[in-house]
PDB file of all heavy atoms in Angstrom:
ATOM      1  N   LYS A   5       1.066  11.516   1.677  1.00  0.00           N
ATOM      2  CA  LYS A   5       2.071  12.439   2.214  1.00  0.00           C
ATOM      3  C   LYS A   5       1.932  12.623   3.727  1.00  0.00           C
ATOM      4  O   LYS A   5       2.942  12.564   4.447  1.00  0.00           O
ATOM      5  CB  LYS A   5       1.983  13.784   1.488  1.00  0.00           C
ATOM      6  CG  LYS A   5       2.631  13.786   0.112  1.00  0.00           C
ATOM      7  CD  LYS A   5       2.655  15.186  -0.465  1.00  0.00           C
ATOM      8  CE  LYS A   5       3.430  15.230  -1.772  1.00  0.00           C
ATOM      9  NZ  LYS A   5       3.501  16.603  -2.323  1.00  0.00           N
ATOM     10  N   ASP A 149       9.180  24.835  -2.285  1.00  0.00           N
ATOM     11  CA  ASP A 149       8.627  24.706  -3.635  1.00  0.00           C
ATOM     12  C   ASP A 149       8.428  26.086  -4.261  1.00  0.00           C
ATOM     13  O   ASP A 149       8.760  26.302  -5.431  1.00  0.00           O
ATOM     14  CB  ASP A 149       7.294  23.945  -3.606  1.00  0.00           C
ATOM     15  CG  ASP A 149       7.470  22.478  -3.252  1.00  0.00           C
ATOM     16  OD1 ASP A 149       8.459  21.875  -3.704  1.00  0.00           O
ATOM     17  OD2 ASP A 149       6.622  21.935  -2.526  1.00  0.00           O
ATOM     18  N   THR A 153      11.064  28.238  -7.440  1.00  0.00           N
ATOM     19  CA  THR A 153      10.579  28.737  -8.728  1.00  0.00           C
ATOM     20  C   THR A 153      11.070  30.153  -8.982  1.00  0.00           C
ATOM     21  O   THR A 153      10.908  30.666 -10.088  1.00  0.00           O
ATOM     22  CB  THR A 153       9.036  28.739  -8.791  1.00  0.00           C
ATOM     23  OG1 THR A 153       8.518  29.663  -7.821  1.00  0.00           O
ATOM     24  CG2 THR A 153       8.483  27.348  -8.536  1.00  0.00           C
ATOM     25  N   PRO A 174       4.342  10.532  -3.515  1.00  0.00           N
ATOM     26  CA  PRO A 174       3.236  11.123  -4.251  1.00  0.00           C
ATOM     27  C   PRO A 174       3.649  12.523  -4.722  1.00  0.00           C
ATOM     28  O   PRO A 174       4.112  13.329  -3.923  1.00  0.00           O
ATOM     29  CB  PRO A 174       2.106  11.220  -3.212  1.00  0.00           C
ATOM     30  CG  PRO A 174       2.516  10.316  -2.094  1.00  0.00           C
ATOM     31  CD  PRO A 174       4.008  10.262  -2.110  1.00  0.00           C
ATOM     32  N   ALA A 175       3.564  12.781  -6.012  1.00  0.00           N
ATOM     33  CA  ALA A 175       4.021  14.063  -6.574  1.00  0.00           C
ATOM     34  C   ALA A 175       2.827  14.916  -6.982  1.00  0.00           C
ATOM     35  O   ALA A 175       1.809  14.395  -7.454  1.00  0.00           O
ATOM     36  CB  ALA A 175       4.928  13.825  -7.773  1.00  0.00           C
ATOM     37  N   GLU A 176       2.959  16.225  -6.779  1.00  0.00           N
ATOM     38  CA  GLU A 176       1.955  17.180  -7.218  1.00  0.00           C
ATOM     39  C   GLU A 176       2.616  18.160  -8.177  1.00  0.00           C
ATOM     40  O   GLU A 176       3.842  18.294  -8.209  1.00  0.00           O
ATOM     41  CB  GLU A 176       1.359  17.897  -6.003  1.00  0.00           C
ATOM     42  CG  GLU A 176       0.655  16.933  -5.044  1.00  0.00           C
ATOM     43  CD  GLU A 176       0.153  17.625  -3.795  1.00  0.00           C
ATOM     44  OE1 GLU A 176      -0.460  18.704  -3.922  1.00  0.00           O
ATOM     45  OE2 GLU A 176       0.381  17.088  -2.693  1.00  0.00           O
ATOM     46  N   THR A 177       1.801  18.863  -8.951  1.00  0.00           N
ATOM     47  CA  THR A 177       2.343  19.708 -10.012  1.00  0.00           C
ATOM     48  C   THR A 177       3.232  20.826  -9.477  1.00  0.00           C
ATOM     49  O   THR A 177       4.162  21.251 -10.162  1.00  0.00           O
ATOM     50  CB  THR A 177       1.205  20.325 -10.850  1.00  0.00           C
ATOM     51  OG1 THR A 177       0.294  21.014  -9.968  1.00  0.00           O
ATOM     52  CG2 THR A 177       0.444  19.241 -11.600  1.00  0.00           C
ATOM     53  N   HIS A 178       2.985  21.293  -8.266  1.00  0.00           N
ATOM     54  CA  HIS A 178       3.775  22.406  -7.723  1.00  0.00           C
ATOM     55  C   HIS A 178       5.080  21.938  -7.067  1.00  0.00           C
ATOM     56  O   HIS A 178       5.915  22.755  -6.703  1.00  0.00           O
ATOM     57  CB  HIS A 178       2.952  23.206  -6.702  1.00  0.00           C
ATOM     58  CG  HIS A 178       2.588  22.408  -5.482  1.00  0.00           C
ATOM     59  ND1 HIS A 178       1.415  21.687  -5.398  1.00  0.00           N
ATOM     60  CD2 HIS A 178       3.242  22.194  -4.313  1.00  0.00           C
ATOM     61  CE1 HIS A 178       1.355  21.085  -4.222  1.00  0.00           C
ATOM     62  NE2 HIS A 178       2.455  21.372  -3.550  1.00  0.00           N
ATOM     63  N   ASP A 179       5.264  20.627  -6.898  1.00  0.00           N
ATOM     64  CA  ASP A 179       6.469  20.115  -6.233  1.00  0.00           C
ATOM     65  C   ASP A 179       7.709  20.389  -7.082  1.00  0.00           C
ATOM     66  O   ASP A 179       7.731  20.119  -8.279  1.00  0.00           O
ATOM     67  CB  ASP A 179       6.350  18.611  -5.995  1.00  0.00           C
ATOM     68  CG  ASP A 179       5.297  18.259  -4.955  1.00  0.00           C
ATOM     69  OD1 ASP A 179       4.942  19.140  -4.149  1.00  0.00           O
ATOM     70  OD2 ASP A 179       4.839  17.107  -4.948  1.00  0.00           O
ATOM     71  N   GLN A 180       8.734  20.940  -6.442  1.00  0.00           N
ATOM     72  CA  GLN A 180       9.982  21.271  -7.131  1.00  0.00           C
ATOM     73  C   GLN A 180      11.073  20.277  -6.724  1.00  0.00           C
ATOM     74  O   GLN A 180      11.437  20.194  -5.553  1.00  0.00           O
ATOM     75  CB  GLN A 180      10.429  22.690  -6.772  1.00  0.00           C
ATOM     76  CG  GLN A 180       9.476  23.778  -7.219  1.00  0.00           C
ATOM     77  CD  GLN A 180       9.386  23.867  -8.730  1.00  0.00           C
ATOM     78  OE1 GLN A 180      10.401  23.933  -9.416  1.00  0.00           O
ATOM     79  NE2 GLN A 180       8.171  23.860  -9.256  1.00  0.00           N
ATOM     80  N   PRO A 181      11.601  19.499  -7.677  1.00  0.00           N
ATOM     81  CA  PRO A 181      12.672  18.559  -7.342  1.00  0.00           C
ATOM     82  C   PRO A 181      13.998  19.279  -7.119  1.00  0.00           C
ATOM     83  O   PRO A 181      14.185  20.420  -7.553  1.00  0.00           O
ATOM     84  CB  PRO A 181      12.747  17.661  -8.580  1.00  0.00           C
ATOM     85  CG  PRO A 181      12.265  18.521  -9.696  1.00  0.00           C
ATOM     86  CD  PRO A 181      11.221  19.437  -9.104  1.00  0.00           C
TER      87      PRO A 181
END
Side-chain angles (χ1 to χ4, degrees):
K5 282 187 174 182
D149 291 322
T153 64
E176 298 176 46
T177 54
H178 64 269
D179 291 339
Q180 296 295 310

